[in-house]
Amino acid sequence: MCGIVGYIGKNKALPRVLTGLKFLEYRGYDSAGVAYIIDNEIKITKEVGRISSLEKLIDEDSNSYVAIGHTRWATHGEPSVSNSHPHRVGKFTVVHNGIIENYLKLKEDLKKKGITFLSSTDTEVIPALLDYYYKEEKNILKTIKKVISILDGSFALGIICDDDKNNLYAVRRGSPLIVAKDKDGMFLASDVPAILSYTNKYILLDNDEIVKIGEDCYQVYDQNLKEKEKELKTFEGSYDAAMLNGYPHYMLKEICEEEKVFLDTLNYYVQDNAFKDNIPEFKHYKNIHIVACGSAYYVGCIGKSLIEEYAGIPVYVEVASEYRYKRNFYDENTLVIVISQSGETADSLEALRKANKDGIDTLAIVNVVLSSIAREAKYTLYVKAGPEIAVATTKAFLAQTTLMALLAVKLAKKEELLKEFQGLDKKIKELLNRSYLDYALDIYQKDNAFFIGRLVDYALCLEGSLKLKETAYINSMAFQAGELKHGTISLIDKGTPVIGICTNSSIAPKTISNLKEVAARGAYIIYITNEKVNDEFYNKVIYIPKVHNIVTPILAVIPLQLISYEVAKLRGCDIDKPRNLAKSVTVE
Ligand code: F6R
């Protein structure tokens, strides 16, 4: 998703803004731009592609002390210089993250008033509206207030007005935005990593708050332009999380952190094989809806298996972008669980809001502290994954899976199962220390791959398949093991990789039969299991440690992640920033 960084202070602005933008690269982008003030003039430079291409067009050492920068992930209009931000109309220069839903109507109205547009973006209506209403209001804050009352959709905005080049202005609704302070200046950013090279003191803006930022101070205003006190917070995470620390890619670094992430999540909620008091004593819900997107949705599928199996509560897992528009059958006996690493995914947030509005109990399982989903749910449980930079989620998936397993134990009221989590960190470490290159070599030159498994193994297949698609660009599909033969088996050809997962001995014979069916049609079988098989129907096997079923998915996902990583590397893919993807999907 788009990223915003702004700086105003005693130091040169461009190196700070460009450094910040590089730390937001993980969000995904296809063009970048900056607006900066030099000799009291505003200059704008934009370029398609990487920030490094933009850097070549700019003298970073320029005597500019005020700048706003942006990385754009195209939604309205192709990636091009004219569609890149900042956008400027009249006296206003703006960077924007989010989507203005009523922009077509606004554009038509503004065109009738004689305003011309240079881009096909939704964003350009914002500086156009600001410039238009400024002529009436003659006051920047009042103008911003007026304009945001007209906008529908989500936005985080960084604004420079030609009449006040000694301040930056910012406002947000829906999309995240922070203001940060170091000893020499002030920053504006979409996310904390952008400012951590300089400071860890920040405030998170709330919806519709407007902020005026000077070189060493800031003032927050509420919707009625009343001044508001907002104290700086200290970001407790470490700068390390946003650094590669010798790893070639964030994806690998984050997978290697999984032993710690597991322990941090476990120890946050459990002590001496008993729950601490930071998970609420939930009432007995008669049914549970889990709502999420992408990999978080697959964690929900794992959660469904575990909660139904151990707590005996029926669970319905739904994709958030569907859930928010469909008729949902919930009542006072329903718990709606929203799972989200970022806590800002637009569809998950809207699904949560829908359930909240209907008076249903909601529980957020989130990684990013104080994100919108974390703040708006009735209950919030954090996973302790730390900042995740690679676009493809790995360590957050493992942490969410750990928390779902803990939640299943809690809802089942079977605390005795907590001992099954003990020592799992060592088994995680053992899996992380293995090489998966051999399996990757079998896959990386293929055009298609399949993952098959039953029940919780099917949920793991979905995640394994998504990882391979998104990081290595291999067309891959996941199937319930018994389902492949009902049509899709026609795609199995000589050498087609089929990754079979079976971690439950009671269903192993069935899954093995299905693997034999595809082996008979020439498939190349990689079998992932936790039980010795004598029958050599596979080409390669990965044995994961045998542990209790409630914690097995935590281990089983690791080989899947590392195989995808190795395949992506062999194929020369942009592992941390796969094409077309964004880390935090703040648009619908
Ligand atoms: C895949 C991936 C995505 C996210 C999805 C939800 O590797 O990262 O599928 O899981 O976009 O994001 P969050 O969890 O931030 O709501």
Side-chain angles (χ1 to χ4, degrees):
M1 276 310 89
C2 304
I4 290 175
V5 181
Y7 176 78
I8 177 164
K10 294 194 175 62
N11 291 306
K12 293 194 172 165
L14 285 171
R16 278 162 181 72
V17 167
L18 290 164
T19 302
L21 288 179
K22 284 184 198 151
F23 279 106
L24 296 183
E25 282 191 305
Y26 71 90
R27 296 164 72 87
Y29 71 105
D30 36 51
S31 52
V34 283
Y36 52 106
I37 294 170
I38 187 159
D39 298 333
N40 210 31
E41 291 289 313
I42 188 138
K43 284 213 166 10
I44 298 181
T45 309
K46 318 197 250 192
E47 185 57 304
V48 175
R50 293 285 177 231
I51 293 167
S52 49
S53 313
L54 176 71
E55 275 176 323
K56 290 190 189 125
L57 306 178
I58 300 172
D59 175 9
E60 283 190 47
D61 203 33
S62 307
N63 285 325
S64 170
Y65 299 90
V66 183
I68 48 177
H70 188 266
T71 45
R72 174 174 186 256
W73 187 75
T75 57
H76 295 61
E78 54 172 15
S80 67
V81 170
S82 59
N83 286 337
S84 308
H85 303 209
H87 288 282
R88 178 169 167 82
V89 178
K91 291 186 170 182
F92 285 85
T93 306
V94 167
V95 287
H96 167 219
N97 171 21
I99 285 187
I100 304 305
E101 286 167 2
N102 56 342
Y103 84 103
L104 280 174
K105 163 97 182 57
L106 293 170
K107 214 167 183 175
E108 280 318 302
D109 293 349
L110 288 161
K111 276 185 187 165
K112 283 185 200 138
K113 289 173 177 142
I115 295 163
T116 48
F117 290 90
L118 305 174
S119 78
S120 25
T121 63
D122 52 335
T123 299
E124 204 180 355
V125 298
I126 303 171
L129 287 168
L130 287 167
D131 192 58
Y132 182 82
Y133 284 106
Y134 184 59
K135 289 177 189 129
E136 276 175 19
E137 301 281 354
K138 298 188 172 49
N139 171 296
I140 299 171
L141 289 168
K142 284 187 186 161
T143 305
I144 295 173
K145 178 184 169 211
K146 169 84 186 171
V147 169
I148 64 170
S149 73
I150 300 171
L151 300 178
D152 284 344
S154 61
F155 50 82
L157 302 176
I159 304 166
I160 298 179
C161 174
D162 288 4
D163 285 352
D164 183 10
K165 297 195 187 100
N166 295 323
N167 287 293
L168 293 177
Y169 292 81
V171 62
R172 77 153 193 130
R173 185 187 299 154
S175 305
L177 198 60
I178 61 165
V179 175
K181 183 177 186 339
D182 75 358
K183 64 178 183 13
D184 294 322
M186 300 287 308
F187 296 82
L188 184 66
S190 301
D191 198 0
V192 174
I195 51 107
L196 282 181
S197 316
Y198 302 100
T199 178
N200 61 357
K201 301 271 184 258
Y202 75 105
I203 56 164
L204 177 68
L205 289 181
D206 280 321
N207 282 340
D208 287 5
E209 283 177 347
I210 302 173
V211 60
K212 177 178 176 178
I213 309 166
E215 73 166 26
D216 57 4
C217 59
Y218 62 93
Q219 179 59 56
V220 179
Y221 300 87
D222 72 8
Q223 297 178 358
N224 303 313
L225 297 186
K226 257 185 71 195
E227 293 190 1
K228 239 180 130 172
E229 286 297 312
K230 228 169 160 166
E231 297 223 336
L232 291 164
K233 288 185 192 318
T234 304
F235 179 74
E236 302 295 353
S238 72
Y239 178 51
D240 261 20
M243 304 293 283
L244 275 168
N245 289 345
Y247 284 91
H249 300 101
Y250 284 107
M251 183 176 174
L252 181 63
K253 175 183 176 237
E254 289 162 3
I255 294 172
C256 290
E257 286 167 5
E258 289 182 332
E259 180 194 354
K260 175 175 181 322
V261 160
F262 165 77
L263 278 177
D264 287 351
T265 304
L266 179 67
N267 294 336
Y268 188 70
Y269 293 107
V270 173
Q271 191 173 19
D272 301 332
N273 289 335
F275 281 113
K276 297 182 181 170
D277 58 6
N278 52 4
I279 301 186
E281 285 309 324
F282 296 113
K283 70 176 189 193
H284 180 75
Y285 292 105
K286 294 219 170 83
N287 60 74
I288 293 176
H289 294 192
I290 302 183
V291 188
C293 303
S295 289
Y297 168 83
Y298 303 147
V299 173
C301 297
I302 294 174
K304 171 184 167 73
S305 277
L306 300 181
I307 295 170
E308 288 186 343
E309 178 72 20
Y310 294 96
I313 304 172
V315 180
Y316 306 91
V317 194
E318 307 255 13
V319 167
S321 53
E322 297 282 312
Y323 192 78
R324 53 182 295 203
Y325 296 113
K326 64 188 271 290
R327 186 169 160 200
N328 296 313
F329 297 92
Y330 46 33
D331 57 28
E332 69 280 5
N333 292 314
T334 308
L335 175 67
V336 173
I337 303 179
V338 178
I339 306 175
S340 175
Q341 184 284 128
S342 62
E344 299 294 347
T345 301
D347 286 314
S348 305
L349 180 58
E350 290 306 326
L352 171 78
R353 286 180 176 156
K354 181 180 177 187
N356 279 343
K357 195 160 152 267
D358 289 343
I360 310 299
D361 281 1
T362 54
L363 164 66
I365 293 193
V366 176
N367 187 34
V368 177
V369 175
L370 291 180
S371 53
S372 303
I373 292 174
R375 287 181 300 152
E376 293 189 27
K378 175 168 179 180
Y379 306 108
T380 296
L381 297 177
Y382 286 111
V383 297
K384 295 285 166 184
E388 195 177 57
I389 306 291
V391 165
T393 183
T394 52
K395 63 174 179 170
F397 185 97
L398 187 129
Q400 289 163 341
T401 303
T402 304
L403 189 47
M404 287 314 287
L406 290 174
L407 195 61
V409 174
K410 181 82 182 176
L411 291 168
K413 300 193 183 353
K414 289 183 180 151
E415 243 187 11
E416 66 277 12
L417 283 172
L418 289 178
K419 66 174 186 323
E420 305 298 342
F421 292 73
Q422 294 309 321
L424 209 69
D425 50 310
K426 297 195 180 59
K427 301 201 160 65
I428 292 174
K429 188 175 178 183
E430 194 260 298
L431 282 169
L432 292 173
N433 283 340
R434 295 188 199 170
S435 166
Y436 296 87
L437 183 60
D438 231 24
Y439 311 98
L441 285 167
D442 294 334
I443 299 172
Y444 86 103
Q445 283 169 319
K446 306 288 178 181
D447 297 327
N448 298 298
F450 292 85
F451 289 73
I452 65 169
R454 283 189 153 72
L455 307 177
V456 80
D457 297 325
Y458 170 59
L460 289 160
C461 286
L462 288 165
E463 175 60 7
S465 170
L466 179 62
K467 284 279 109 37
L468 195 62
K469 282 192 272 268
E470 65 180 339
T471 59
Y473 313 152
I474 288 183
N475 180 28
S476 114
M477 288 166 115
F479 274 88
Q480 293 96 337
E483 188 60 18
L484 192 71
K485 60 179 167 296
H486 295 284
T488 313
I489 198 164
S490 63
L491 293 176
I492 301 290
D493 209 352
K494 192 163 170 26
T496 308
V498 175
I499 292 101
I501 307 178
C502 184
T503 60
N504 183 339
S505 52
S506 70
I507 50 171
K510 301 290 172 200
T511 302
I512 289 174
S513 292
N514 299 134
L515 285 165
K516 284 184 180 172
E517 286 158 13
V518 288
R521 285 154 182 88
Y524 185 91
I525 311 284
I526 298 175
Y527 186 47
I528 302 179
T529 185
N530 52 5
E531 230 152 17
K532 266 253 161 307
V533 264
N534 296 323
D535 186 357
E536 291 216 349
F537 62 90
Y538 50 76
N539 296 86
K540 288 210 171 113
V541 64
I542 300 176
Y543 285 113
I544 60 167
K546 178 86 182 150
V547 291
H548 192 283
N549 281 350
I550 200 157
V551 289
T552 297
I554 302 169
L555 297 184
V557 73
I558 296 170
L560 301 174
Q561 295 172 338
L562 281 164
I563 290 174
S564 287
Y565 172 77
E566 294 293 357
V567 175
K569 209 164 108 183
L570 288 167
R571 286 168 70 95
C573 297
D574 193 352
I575 296 179
D576 288 332
K577 297 184 283 287
R579 66 183 177 212
N580 303 338
L581 295 186
K583 180 69 180 162
S584 160
V585 186
T586 52
V587 296
E588 293 161 32

